[in-house]
């Protein structure tokens, strides 16, 4: 017997949300609808999967994901749009969407997406939380500190980094010490791990419904 899930439809016209709700109920799941992310976050539910309308004029799926992260909400998100454009799909997936479906939704495609998410939910939630935290820390670095971190991730020594950036090894040491402090990393391996976690979205499959 398939697991009954709770889907939260966020964004889009009331008619479009009603059509999606009808399909969700036909598949045997429960559904709630919200006009936008603000309404959803007024009283965030405790569980579920979000179907987020990717409307670039209103911030798109990336904006919804950002709002969720800012409020500590880690629900898996599926982006939706009538005519998905490759660039929009890539942007949504990079922001953390687990899938991207065309509207109107196709029952089989939605069922497949929900099944995959159900199997990987715990892994996704933990990875998403780590990614957002890592991005927040890395955002505090200066452009030069980011460059030093990038070269550290390539396995370069202070001397090699100095040569590549045309600065002194001493300056590299200073930047390295500063970035380690900002990232709250005790050793270079931790700093590199944070950089990798900040780009976890690159491993998400870029799929289109």
């Amino acid at each position: 017997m398939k697991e009954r899930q709770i889907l939260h439809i966020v964004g889009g016209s009331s008619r479009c949300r009603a059509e999606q709700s009808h399909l969700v109920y036909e598949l045997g799941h429960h559904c709630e609808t919200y006009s936008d992310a603000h309404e959803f976050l007024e009283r965030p539910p405790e569980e579920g999967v979000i179907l987020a309308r990717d409307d670039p004029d209103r911030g798109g799926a990336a904006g919804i994901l950002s709002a969720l992260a800012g409020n500590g909400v880690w629900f898996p998100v599926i982006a939706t749009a009538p005519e998905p454009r490759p660039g929009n799909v890539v942007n949504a997936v990079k922001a953390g969407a687990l899938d991207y479906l065309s509207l109107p939704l196709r029952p089989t495609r939605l069922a497949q997406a929900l099944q995959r998410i159900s199997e990987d939910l715990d892994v996704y939630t933990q990875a998403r939380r780590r990614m957002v935290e890592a991005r927040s820390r890395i955002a505090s670095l200066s452009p030069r500190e980011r460059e030093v971190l990038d070269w550290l991730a390539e396995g370069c020594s202070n001397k090699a980094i100095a040569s590549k950036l045309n600065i002194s090894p001493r300056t590299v040491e200073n930047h390295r010490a500063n970035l380690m402090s900002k990232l709250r990393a005790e050793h270079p391996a931790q700093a590199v791990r944070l950089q990798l976690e900040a780009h976890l979205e690159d491993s998400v499959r870029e799929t289109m419904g």
Side-chain angles (χ1 to χ4, degrees), residues 40-88:
F40 176 84
L41 290 169
E42 286 181 349
R43 293 183 178 179
E46 296 182 355
E47 61 179 326
V49 176
I50 294 175
L51 292 175
R53 178 63 176 267
D54 189 23
D55 183 355
D57 293 335
R58 303 187 66 179
I64 293 175
L65 281 155
S66 177
L68 295 175
N71 286 270
V73 178
W74 311 105
F75 290 7
V77 172
I78 298 173
T80 64
E83 297 180 359
R85 297 181 178 179
N88 292 344

Side-chain angles (χ1 to χ4, degrees), residues 80-117:
T80 64
E83 297 180 359
R85 297 181 178 179
N88 292 344
V89 175
V90 171
N91 290 337
V93 172
K94 284 187 175 181
L98 290 188
D99 212 329
Y100 202 118
L101 304 181
S102 297
L103 296 173
L105 295 174
R106 299 201 303 269
T108 300
R109 185 71 177 82
L110 177 59
Q112 290 173 342
L114 293 176
Q115 179 61 35
R116 185 169 64 250
I117 288 175

Side-chain angles (χ1 to χ4, degrees), residues 3 31 43 70 74 82 89 105 128 162 168 173 177-178 182 204:
E3 181 181 354
C31 185
R43 293 183 178 179
W74 311 105
V89 175
L105 295 174
R128 175 75 180 158
S168 71
E173 290 179 6
N178 288 338
K182 290 180 179 180
V204 179

Side-chain angles (χ1 to χ4, degrees), residues 5-189:
Q5 299 193 46
I6 301 174
L7 275 72
H8 305 282
I9 301 173
V10 179
S13 68
S14 57
R15 179 177 179 178
C16 185
R17 294 197 299 272
E19 291 174 348
Q20 293 178 66
S21 297
H22 182 69
L23 174 57
V24 169
Y25 281 116
E26 281 191 336
L27 290 175
H29 303 296
H30 180 69
C31 185
E32 300 288 344
T33 63
Y34 311 82
S35 59
D36 53 31
H38 177 72
E39 182 180 355
F40 176 84
L41 290 169
E42 286 181 349
R43 293 183 178 179
E46 296 182 355
E47 61 179 326
V49 176
I50 294 175
L51 292 175
R53 178 63 176 267
D54 189 23
D55 183 355
D57 293 335
R58 303 187 66 179
I64 293 175
L65 281 155
S66 177
L68 295 175
N71 286 270
V73 178
W74 311 105
F75 290 7
V77 172
I78 298 173
T80 64
E83 297 180 359
R85 297 181 178 179
N88 292 344
V89 175
V90 171
N91 290 337
V93 172
K94 284 187 175 181
L98 290 188
D99 212 329
Y100 202 118
L101 304 181
S102 297
L103 296 173
L105 295 174
R106 299 201 303 269
T108 300
R109 185 71 177 82
L110 177 59
Q112 290 173 342
L114 293 176
Q115 179 61 35
R116 185 169 64 250
I117 288 175
S118 177
E119 294 171 352
D120 300 332
L121 183 57
D122 289 341
V123 173
Y124 165 78
T125 301
Q126 294 172 13
R128 175 75 180 158
R129 184 180 290 112
R130 290 198 308 270
M131 182 186 74
V132 173
E133 180 181 352
R135 283 185 170 184
S136 177
R137 293 191 194 182
I138 288 178
S140 69
L141 302 181
S142 70
R144 182 62 87 183
E145 290 164 353
R146 284 289 303 272
E147 289 180 316
V148 172
L149 177 59
D150 288 342
W151 286 115
L152 276 176
E154 295 294 327
C156 295
S157 65
N158 286 354
K159 184 176 180 180
I161 295 174
S163 176
K164 293 179 182 295
L165 298 181
N166 197 28
I167 57 179
S168 71
R170 178 68 177 179
T171 300
V172 172
E173 290 179 6
N174 291 336
H175 286 312
R176 180 168 166 169
N178 288 338
L179 73 87
M180 294 284 287
S181 176
K182 290 180 179 180
L183 297 179
R184 302 197 293 276
E186 297 181 359
H187 48 76

